[in-house]
Amino acid sequence: MHEVDRSRALTATDVARAAKVSQSTVSLVLNGKWQGRVREETARRVLAAVDELGYRINESARNLRLGSSGTVLMVVPTLVNPVFAVIHAGAARVAAEAGLGVVVFPLSAEDGCDPFSTPRQSLDGVIACSVSAQAVAKLRTGLPLAVLDDTPLPDTPTVTMDTGGGMAKALAHLVDLGHRRIMHLRAERSAWTFARRAEAFDQCVLSHPQLSPSRLVTPFDLVDVRGRAIAALSAADRPTAVICDDDNMAMAVLAAAAELDLTVGEDLSLVGFNDLSTATVLQPPLTTVRLPLGELGAQGMQALIELRGGGTPDSVVLPTELVVRRSTGPAPA
């Protein structure tokens, strides 16, 4: 075959010379588009030249020509909460099948700097997860956008979870167990998903006039949650059941109950949200609303891929499920 100067980087031109074909033929073969356009014998000769020369495709240059970087940016509120790791895993699985990678970025950068300075041409799209489309407006200029777990927008594919339905199921479960003093422990966050849970609780209690509902708003700090829960559970008319906006918050309430010598599942019933892996190993195991977090990420990535291909994906609402474990029981006398 044609002799090549090994002191420099190999190019597709070198492959073409070695295989005695045109550079366009090499491009067709290496991009898998040769069937029906290049003879099989010629394609084999090109691949043989690639093997002999040890040629490797320059992916950066290839993606630049194709108008693709192979990278999707997933913006999340924080990296502290493990739910976003589960969502990312679902998105990354679907992305990998399409030859894409996913970069995760927390919108609330701790150093207070500009959240993302990478040139837009290095991204193929943006997924806003539990943050509003407005919050990522600067990041996604001119890029395809899919929204997860936030306010549905016109002309923007949105994948949400029926968190309101999950709250309704949790409340109905406690009412069936005879509880009347039920507290909703609310995360002090403006996110749409938490607003939906609060709205559902407030709406559902209207259908049960026998209830004495209460609401406790607390920052998403477990030490703070524990302290406020101790105060609420020390009252003479304390709630006999608590629904928490998050499994982590429920763990803090579990610690508060232990300090007050309240047995969860008997003296106090406790419900969480998310169904994290830790929910099954708590004592007692936690009753919680299972959110399809992995499927949320997968469906969001699928919508973005369809959007990039010129499609118009529909918005999706994923169902939720109440998983009953031993942290809930009949209301105490």
Side-chain angles (χ1 to χ4, degrees), residues 69 71-77 103-109 113-129 131-146 304:
S69 67
T71 302
V72 171
L73 180 69
M74 176 179 282
V75 182
V76 299
V103 175
V104 181
F105 187 84
L107 190 63
S108 54
C113 297
D114 188 299
F116 203 72
S117 58
T118 296
R120 304 299 178 265
Q121 62 266 29
S122 66
L123 299 174
D124 276 347
V126 175
I127 294 179
C129 180
V131 295
S132 68
Q134 291 77 14
V136 297
K138 291 183 179 179
L139 300 178
R140 58 79 47 123
T141 304
L143 293 172
L145 171 70
L304 186 67

Side-chain angles (χ1 to χ4, degrees), residues 33-275:
K33 300 178 180 179
W34 62 270
Q35 287 89 347
R37 306 170 74 177
V38 176
R39 294 172 56 190
E40 185 174 348
E41 178 185 348
T42 302
R44 288 178 179 175
R45 195 162 71 245
V46 170
L47 295 175
V50 168
D51 289 339
E52 182 174 330
L53 296 176
Y55 175 72
R56 295 291 180 268
I57 298 175
N58 185 329
E59 289 292 344
S60 296
R62 178 176 180 271
N63 287 335
L64 185 60
R65 290 194 302 273
L66 296 176
S68 168
S69 67
T71 302
V72 171
L73 180 69
M74 176 179 282
V75 182
V76 299
T78 177
L79 293 179
V80 174
N81 196 325
V83 303
F84 298 112
V86 182
I87 296 171
H88 169 261
R93 174 176 53 81
V94 174
E97 295 171 356
L100 299 171
V102 183
V103 175
V104 181
F105 187 84
L107 190 63
S108 54
E110 293 181 359
D111 57 9
C113 297
D114 188 299
F116 203 72
S117 58
T118 296
R120 304 299 178 265
Q121 62 266 29
S122 66
L123 299 174
D124 276 347
V126 175
I127 294 179
C129 180
S130 298
V131 295
S132 68
Q134 291 77 14
V136 297
K138 291 183 179 179
L139 300 178
R140 58 79 47 123
T141 304
L143 293 172
L145 171 70
V147 174
L148 307 186
D149 198 30
D150 205 272
T151 310
L153 297 173
D155 303 320
T156 302
T158 306
V159 184
T160 58
M161 301 174 291
D162 185 17
T163 52
M167 175 61 76
K169 294 172 187 174
L171 186 63
H173 171 62
L174 294 174
V175 171
D176 288 344
L177 290 172
H179 292 277
R180 297 296 177 261
R181 296 197 302 275
I182 302 174
M183 184 173 74
H184 179 201
L185 189 64
R186 301 180 174 180
E188 192 177 52
R189 294 218 174 144
S190 59
W192 174 86
T193 184
F194 294 122
R196 280 294 303 126
R197 298 169 205 194
E199 290 170 4
F201 181 88
D202 292 342
Q203 290 171 0
C204 289
V205 295
L206 295 176
S207 302
H208 301 282
Q210 76 277 23
L211 297 184
S212 297
S214 59
R215 294 92 172 162
L216 177 61
V217 181
T218 176
F220 212 102
D221 176 88
L222 300 190
V223 174
D224 200 317
V225 173
R226 176 176 167 275
R228 298 192 188 201
I230 288 175
L233 296 176
S234 299
D237 58 345
R238 68 168 181 84
T240 62
V242 179
I243 304 175
C244 301
D245 268 349
D246 179 87
D247 286 351
N248 293 307
M249 298 174 76
M251 285 188 272
V253 175
L254 193 65
E259 182 157 334
L260 296 172
D261 291 325
L262 296 174
T263 301
V264 172
E266 297 179 11
D267 303 317
L268 176 71
S269 284
L270 184 61
V271 180
F273 252 86
N274 292 335
D275 195 26

Side-chain angles (χ1 to χ4, degrees), residues 302-327:
Q302 189 59 53
L304 186 67
I305 291 171
E306 187 177 340
L307 190 64
R308 289 180 65 240
T312 54
D314 295 327
S315 292
V316 177
V317 179
L318 300 174
T320 57
E321 174 189 0
L322 179 68
V323 181
V324 178
R325 301 191 179 101
R326 289 191 289 111
S327 70

